[in-house]
Amino acid sequence: AMRRFPDVQGVAILLVQVSILLSTQAQNTDKKGSVTVVYEPKPVTEVVCSQRKALTESELENMIDTWIKTGNECPLGKPCRNAKNLADYKALRAKCEGPPRRAKEELRALVANVEASLQAMNGQYTSLKDALDSLDREYRRQFQRVWDDIEKLHATLAYTSIGAGRIQQALFHQSSQGRHIGNLIQQLSPGNAEELLAFAWNFPWPDQQSDVYDKVEAVIKSSQDPVLETVLAIDIINTKNPKLKDKTKQATEYLKQLQTSTLSGDFSTIASLAARFPKHYAYLRQSLFKPAEGSKTSAAALWNLSELPDHLPSAEERLQTIEAIVQPLLGVNGTLVDDAEYFWPLTKLADVLNRVPESDEQKADLERLRNKFATHVSPKPLDYYKKLHSQIQSLKPFSGSTL
């Protein structure tokens, strides 16, 4: 059986074996003529000179087939030389050997050229570096000018957004520019106080919120509007920011003073608050009419408060205010306490309640509030007070009265 030929040496062995086979077969047959060599190729899995990829398996098989065919065509007894086969063999060796090595002198010249090129490049490095540094400085200057313009644009948009009441948009532009918040607020007038209050309330950075309220407070005080000062105090108390602790104490004291003036009959701030900021009034109403701990509502204060509902803008707020006024006067059974001191003020308050317009939406609330006026005198709470109201139009008891 024929062997596999993994390299050029195997090819040479093949040629020798072919020659021997031709000579032996001629002697045995003792005949002249051509001899046919039968070659059964086996699968070639290796590649000759694989490191340089000289031939693939298919190319090697084709080359061997060509050599065998040439051997079959050679005349018997004569040298079998084929120029193409010889050229293929030499080409194969050349591929395996690779390019011819360069002479040492040529290599030295090449190294010298490389060194000269590197030296020339090194000589140009300083000037190139200076040029790049100059270009970098110019880019930095241009970019800085662009960023400055962008910062000014954000500041302008934040300013105009607050003035237009677009608080969320103002907060976005404020967060996008590094300018201190005070510079923005100081550009606004007291006419923008309501927008500034909303801006401070929605300010999302707790560490800076105290500074924001400082600036907003200065603007609001310059407006000399007690309603805005009340809103500011309520907002600060409800912010729940530990950094506003001192401001919270000041705001609490301010609301106590407002409570005192309201109980004495000054409703200018409270009535305006209910009309302009109903949500803030609803919050304040929860505690405005409560007496100090350990004490009770005075009859004089109750008499004054009975006039407050008539100053409020809506029937709903009147009902809610009347309920808040009588809440501290209720007993355990949910009706008014039997206290002669409150007799005349409650008569006046009952008349106010009776004059509140009744609607389908408020009918249930109105009836529930009327039932809180129940006494041991009459099963119909308001009827009792209504009959007496005409008798007390000009009466106003003093604190501590036993009427």
Side-chain angles (χ1 to χ4, degrees), residues 107-124:
L107 292 177
R108 291 193 185 96
L110 179 61
V111 171
N113 290 336
V114 172
E115 290 178 347
S117 299
L118 291 175
Q119 187 65 28
M121 183 181 297
N122 187 51
Q124 296 177 357

Side-chain angles (χ1 to χ4, degrees), residues 130-141:
D130 293 341
L132 290 176
D133 289 343
S134 176
L135 183 62
D136 183 64
R137 287 192 297 271
E138 178 61 21
Y139 272 121
R140 287 178 181 273
R141 188 182 67 82

Side-chain angles (χ1 to χ4, degrees), residues 154-170:
H154 276 301
T156 301
L157 291 174
Y159 167 75
T160 55
S161 296
I162 291 178
R166 300 186 181 95
I167 304 304
Q168 295 301 324
Q169 186 173 346

